[in-house]
Short mmCIF file of all heavy atoms in Angstrom, two decimals:
data_model
loop_
_atom_site.label_atom_id
_atom_site.label_comp_id
_atom_site.label_asym_id
_atom_site.label_seq_id
_atom_site.Cartn_x
_atom_site.Cartn_y
_atom_site.Cartn_z
N ASP A 146 -14.75 42.22 25.75
CA ASP A 146 -16.19 42.42 25.77
C ASP A 146 -16.75 41.17 25.04
O ASP A 146 -17.51 41.24 24.08
CB ASP A 146 -16.54 43.71 24.95
CG ASP A 146 -18.11 43.92 24.93
OD1 ASP A 146 -18.78 43.41 25.85
OD2 ASP A 146 -18.57 44.69 24.01
N TYR A 149 -16.85 40.99 21.28
CA TYR A 149 -17.22 42.19 20.48
C TYR A 149 -16.01 43.10 20.41
O TYR A 149 -16.26 44.27 20.18
CB TYR A 149 -18.48 42.77 21.05
CG TYR A 149 -19.67 41.97 20.72
CD1 TYR A 149 -20.24 40.97 21.47
CD2 TYR A 149 -20.30 42.19 19.52
CE1 TYR A 149 -21.30 40.25 21.11
CE2 TYR A 149 -21.39 41.48 18.99
CZ TYR A 149 -21.92 40.48 19.83
OH TYR A 149 -23.01 39.73 19.49
N VAL A 186 -18.70 43.43 13.41
CA VAL A 186 -18.54 44.52 14.44
C VAL A 186 -17.78 45.64 13.83
O VAL A 186 -16.47 45.75 13.99
CB VAL A 186 -17.83 43.94 15.67
CG1 VAL A 186 -17.84 44.95 16.84
CG2 VAL A 186 -18.41 42.60 16.13
N HIS A 189 -16.04 49.39 15.96
CA HIS A 189 -14.83 49.50 16.70
C HIS A 189 -14.04 48.21 16.51
O HIS A 189 -14.67 47.13 16.24
CB HIS A 189 -15.06 49.72 18.18
CG HIS A 189 -16.17 48.80 18.70
ND1 HIS A 189 -17.48 49.27 18.82
CD2 HIS A 189 -16.24 47.52 19.13
CE1 HIS A 189 -18.24 48.25 19.30
NE2 HIS A 189 -17.53 47.19 19.42
N PHE A 234 -20.76 51.77 28.42
CA PHE A 234 -20.41 50.84 29.54
C PHE A 234 -20.20 51.68 30.81
O PHE A 234 -19.85 51.00 31.86
CB PHE A 234 -19.25 49.92 29.25
CG PHE A 234 -19.55 48.98 28.16
CD1 PHE A 234 -18.47 48.37 27.48
CD2 PHE A 234 -20.81 48.50 27.86
CE1 PHE A 234 -18.67 47.42 26.48
CE2 PHE A 234 -21.09 47.54 26.91
CZ PHE A 234 -19.98 47.00 26.20
N PHE A 257 -17.52 52.25 23.65
CA PHE A 257 -17.72 51.15 24.53
C PHE A 257 -16.51 51.02 25.49
O PHE A 257 -16.04 52.09 26.05
CB PHE A 257 -18.03 49.83 23.80
CG PHE A 257 -19.32 49.96 23.11
CD1 PHE A 257 -19.41 50.47 21.80
CD2 PHE A 257 -20.54 49.62 23.75
CE1 PHE A 257 -20.67 50.65 21.12
CE2 PHE A 257 -21.78 49.79 23.10
CZ PHE A 257 -21.85 50.28 21.82
N GLN A 261 -11.89 49.07 23.06
CA GLN A 261 -12.67 48.99 21.86
C GLN A 261 -12.69 50.34 21.10
O GLN A 261 -13.71 51.06 21.09
CB GLN A 261 -14.09 48.54 22.14
CG GLN A 261 -14.22 47.13 22.68
CD GLN A 261 -15.60 46.84 23.28
OE1 GLN A 261 -15.99 47.45 24.33
NE2 GLN A 261 -16.34 46.01 22.66
N ARG A 291 -25.28 40.04 11.10
CA ARG A 291 -25.93 40.88 12.09
C ARG A 291 -24.92 41.99 12.41
O ARG A 291 -23.81 41.72 12.70
CB ARG A 291 -26.25 39.99 13.30
CG ARG A 291 -26.83 40.71 14.52
CD ARG A 291 -25.66 41.10 15.46
NE ARG A 291 -26.12 41.70 16.71
CZ ARG A 291 -25.34 42.28 17.59
NH1 ARG A 291 -24.08 42.48 17.39
NH2 ARG A 291 -25.91 42.79 18.75
N ASP A 293 -23.39 44.84 14.31
CA ASP A 293 -23.30 45.36 15.73
C ASP A 293 -23.44 46.91 15.75
O ASP A 293 -22.74 47.56 14.84
CB ASP A 293 -21.98 44.91 16.23
CG ASP A 293 -21.84 45.19 17.75
OD1 ASP A 293 -22.66 44.60 18.51
OD2 ASP A 293 -20.96 45.91 18.14
N VAL A 294 -24.09 47.45 16.70
CA VAL A 294 -24.30 48.94 16.79
C VAL A 294 -24.37 49.65 15.43
O VAL A 294 -23.62 50.57 15.20
CB VAL A 294 -23.42 49.67 17.75
CG1 VAL A 294 -23.99 49.66 19.16
CG2 VAL A 294 -22.01 49.07 17.88
N GLU A 352 -28.45 45.88 14.34
CA GLU A 352 -28.64 46.04 15.71
C GLU A 352 -28.53 47.52 15.93
O GLU A 352 -27.53 48.19 15.95
CB GLU A 352 -27.52 45.41 16.52
CG GLU A 352 -27.90 45.37 18.03
CD GLU A 352 -26.80 45.88 18.90
OE1 GLU A 352 -25.77 46.46 18.42
OE2 GLU A 352 -26.99 45.89 20.12
N HIS A 413 -28.23 38.45 24.22
CA HIS A 413 -27.17 38.37 25.16
C HIS A 413 -26.85 39.72 25.86
O HIS A 413 -25.94 39.85 26.64
CB HIS A 413 -25.85 37.97 24.39
CG HIS A 413 -25.44 39.01 23.42
ND1 HIS A 413 -26.18 39.23 22.30
CD2 HIS A 413 -24.39 39.78 23.40
CE1 HIS A 413 -25.54 40.24 21.58
NE2 HIS A 413 -24.48 40.56 22.26
N ASP A 414 -27.64 40.73 25.58
CA ASP A 414 -27.46 42.11 26.21
C ASP A 414 -28.59 42.47 27.14
O ASP A 414 -28.49 43.56 27.77
CB ASP A 414 -27.44 43.13 25.05
CG ASP A 414 -26.18 43.16 24.26
OD1 ASP A 414 -25.12 42.66 24.79
OD2 ASP A 414 -26.25 43.46 23.05
N ARG A 502 -24.60 42.14 32.03
CA ARG A 502 -25.25 41.19 31.19
C ARG A 502 -24.83 39.81 31.46
O ARG A 502 -25.24 38.86 30.70
CB ARG A 502 -25.03 41.57 29.75
CG ARG A 502 -25.49 43.03 29.43
CD ARG A 502 -24.89 43.56 28.19
NE ARG A 502 -23.38 43.71 28.33
CZ ARG A 502 -22.53 44.10 27.34
NH1 ARG A 502 -23.05 44.43 26.15
NH2 ARG A 502 -21.28 44.19 27.59
N ARG A 506 -25.93 35.26 30.19
CA ARG A 506 -24.88 34.53 29.43
C ARG A 506 -24.30 33.36 29.98
O ARG A 506 -23.37 32.80 29.50
CB ARG A 506 -23.73 35.60 29.20
CG ARG A 506 -24.14 36.85 28.46
CD ARG A 506 -23.04 37.89 28.42
NE ARG A 506 -23.46 38.99 27.50
CZ ARG A 506 -22.62 40.08 27.26
NH1 ARG A 506 -21.45 40.11 27.76
NH2 ARG A 506 -23.06 40.96 26.52
C1 NOJ B 153 -23.85 45.34 21.01
C2 NOJ B 153 -23.44 43.90 21.36
O1 NOJ B 153 -24.60 43.19 21.29
C3 NOJ B 153 -22.93 43.98 22.74
O2 NOJ B 153 -22.81 42.76 23.37
C4 NOJ B 153 -21.55 44.73 22.65
O3 NOJ B 153 -21.10 44.87 24.01
C5 NOJ B 153 -21.73 46.03 22.07
N1 NOJ B 153 -22.60 46.09 20.91
C6 NOJ B 153 -20.38 46.64 21.71
O4 NOJ B 153 -19.89 45.89 20.61
#
Side-chain angles (χ1 to χ4, degrees):
D146 184 22
Y149 284 92
V186 189
H189 46 265
F234 293 158
F257 294 90
Q261 294 167 292
R291 173 265 188 193
D293 191 62
V294 269
E352 190 233 6
H413 65 294
D414 289 330
R502 305 159 295 175
R506 298 176 173 181

